[in-house]
């Protein structure tokens, strides 16, 4: 079992839903978030959101899913980012789930 987390612009939610369906991820949760960044940095985590004092309406999408589905979802998001010229690419990460009830 894995926790797949995705952040994207609000308008990309439909595309991510399609990607999840293609990766056999049928159940997921969404939360509206505001991405913010103050100043400029060279660290990837600092580049997660836009540069400057911009505030960006974004979504956080997460799901608990089998490892194969999480891996497929991440690969499809990689392809999505490569084929869409976006100033704000979709970000994703996978975390292991050690125990669950």
């Amino acid at each position: 079992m894995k926790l797949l987390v995705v952040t994207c612009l609000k308008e990309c939610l439909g595309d991510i839903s399609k990607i999840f369906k293609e990766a056999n991820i049928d159940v997921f949760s969404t939360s509206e978030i505001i991405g913010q960044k103050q100043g400029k940095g060279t660290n990837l985590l600092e580049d997660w959101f836009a540069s400057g004092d911009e505030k960006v309406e974004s979504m956080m999408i997460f799901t608990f899913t089998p490892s194969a589905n999480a891996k497929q979802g991440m690969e499809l998001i990689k392809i999505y980012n490569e084929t869409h010229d976006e100033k704000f690419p979709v970000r994703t990460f996978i975390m292991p789930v050690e125990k669950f009830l």
Side-chain angles (χ1 to χ4, degrees), residues 4-68:
L4 175 65
V5 180
V6 177
T7 62
C8 64
L9 294 177
K10 205 174 204 180
E11 52 266 22
C12 296
L13 180 58
D15 292 338
I16 300 305
S17 294
K18 291 175 187 174
I19 287 172
F20 275 22
K21 184 170 183 76
E22 192 174 337
N24 297 311
I25 299 170
D26 297 321
V27 178
F28 56 92
S29 299
T30 62
S31 180
E32 293 184 17
I33 59 174
I34 301 293
Q36 300 183 51
K37 179 179 177 185
Q38 299 176 4
K40 293 185 178 185
T42 57
N43 184 326
L44 175 62
L45 293 177
E46 293 173 358
D47 271 345
W48 196 264
F49 294 109
S51 61
D53 292 328
E54 300 175 50
K55 294 182 180 180
V56 183
E57 291 188 27
S58 303
M59 297 297 296
M60 179 180 294
I61 306 123
F62 59 95
T63 184
F64 295 94
T65 191
S67 181

